[in-house]
Amino acid sequence: MAAATQSVESVTGLLEECLSKQGFEVHPLKVGWYNSLLPATLRLSCPDDSLALVVLSTPAMFEQAFLPFMEERGCRVVTDPIDQCVKHCVTSAVSQCFPGQEVDLRFDYELLPSRKPKFLAQTAAHVSGAAFYYQQSDVTDQPWAERKMFGVCVHPRFGGWFAIRALLVFGDVTLGSEMVQPIPPDCVPTRESRIQLLEAFNFHWQDWSYRDVVRPVQTYSQKQRDYFSTPPSQRFDLLRTWGFLPREDHQPETSSDTQNQGKGHG
């Protein structure tokens, strides 16, 4: 498949048309932008001028995709329900939008045989311009001495109320030099606010205050907060009380996640 910026817009638009009604965003990037920030062991093994798309879930995804998915398919869910919902939505959209085309799908919960992640979600979101990845190195005169501080992405519209779910790599779509790397909006520009953000994320992530570092246009509904506040091992029981799963002794596997966006897969 061909080549230019218009083609990129066409590919992105097709996928976004399918996924936006389910509460997802789609952002394009060049593989080279992503690979340039990573060691060789974590780079994508395709040409730097190949197209990739990063898929984010917005607060609307829970009601627009997840609950309908559980209503329809809940009795067949055998692993983490959110993971299965995202996989179903994204793979269905890819099959519908790009039939017969080879697309390398990578989900945030997947690991390589080396136990390394299949893609670094926050790096992909940053280089696509979707969200700014604030890291310890973004703070001057750090107050934490030798302590390791984990970074966190902030979305210009949703703050921390979103998640990075998947990366789609189109190895046969070659991008030209006219596609310029966007700069993600710096929503947390001062040293003091960056310290506050990283400390809230690292030390107080369970109160979710880091998500409100900027004023969001939408946050999680109370039902969604209840779900993600519940420990992963107890979420199937919660879904049973909501009527989405049969009451039985079988307990499927669950997974958890730290920022994909937030510590608990939300």
Side-chain angles (χ1 to χ4, degrees):
M1 182 176 167
T5 300
Q6 183 57 46
S7 297
V8 173
E9 294 169 352
S10 173
V11 171
T12 304
L14 273 175
L15 193 64
E16 190 148 48
E17 185 177 351
C18 286
L19 289 176
S20 62
K21 64 189 75 170
Q22 296 175 302
F24 294 95
E25 286 186 351
V26 179
H27 298 268
L29 61 133
K30 275 187 179 181
V31 166
W33 303 343
Y34 174 88
N35 282 348
S36 68
L37 298 180
L38 300 176
T41 55
L42 293 174
R43 292 174 190 161
L44 299 172
S45 58
C46 57
D48 282 351
D49 57 0
S50 299
L51 171 67
L53 302 176
V54 62
V55 178
L56 315 180
S57 62
T58 74
M61 185 274 290
F62 195 80
E63 277 75 21
Q64 293 179 3
F66 179 63
L67 295 184
F69 172 81
M70 292 304 300
E71 184 75 42
E72 180 183 349
R73 297 169 175 265
C75 62
R76 286 174 277 171
V77 170
V78 295
T79 55
D80 182 84
I82 289 285
D83 291 347
Q84 292 304 293
C85 170
V86 170
K87 184 175 183 178
H88 170 74
C89 292
V90 174
T91 55
S92 297
V94 169
S95 297
Q96 178 181 335
C97 296
F98 314 109
Q101 186 171 348
E102 185 174 340
V103 182
D104 179 7
L105 293 175
R106 297 167 182 247
F107 295 95
D108 65 286
Y109 55 86
E110 293 181 319
L111 299 175
L112 297 167
S114 64
R115 306 302 295 170
K116 295 180 185 298
K118 280 198 171 181
F119 80 102
L120 296 187
Q122 298 188 97
T123 300
H126 184 90
V127 299
S128 75
F132 199 110
Y133 182 23
Y134 292 96
Q135 303 180 71
Q136 190 166 356
S137 58
D138 293 313
V139 176
T140 57
D141 300 322
Q142 297 173 15
W144 306 296
E146 300 300 313
R147 180 162 189 159
K148 167 70 175 176
M149 301 290 284
F150 292 99
V152 61
C153 274
V154 175
H155 190 285
R157 297 178 63 241
F158 301 114
W161 300 97
F162 79 106
I164 306 153
R165 299 296 183 183
L167 185 72
L168 287 61
V169 183
F170 294 77
D172 60 351
V173 179
T174 302
L175 306 175
S177 58
E178 64 273 14
M179 184 172 176
V180 178
Q181 182 174 353
I183 299 173
D186 184 359
C187 310
V188 189
T190 68
R191 174 180 179 271
E192 292 72 20
S193 58
R194 292 178 180 182
I195 290 172
Q196 181 182 4
L197 169 65
L198 292 179
E199 291 186 349
F201 181 68
N202 281 266
F203 306 147
H204 310 292
W205 59 268
Q206 287 177 309
D207 70 11
W208 292 6
S209 59
Y210 78 89
R211 297 180 187 261
D212 291 319
V213 66
V214 299
R215 185 184 297 275
V217 299
Q218 184 181 12
T219 65
Y220 290 176
S221 65
Q222 187 57 55
K223 195 163 195 171
Q224 185 169 187
R225 295 182 193 216
D226 291 344
Y227 182 84
F228 287 118
S229 294
T230 301
S233 63
Q234 298 173 25
R235 290 176 185 169
F236 283 96
D237 291 333
L238 179 63
L239 290 169
R240 287 189 183 95
T241 68
W242 289 351
F244 291 116
L245 294 173
R247 294 185 178 275
E248 55 186 24
D249 293 333
H250 175 249
Q251 179 65 51
E253 262 180 51
T254 58
S255 67
S256 61
D257 146 290
T258 59
Q259 154 90 331
N260 163 348
Q261 186 66 22
K263 308 202 173 187
H265 217 84

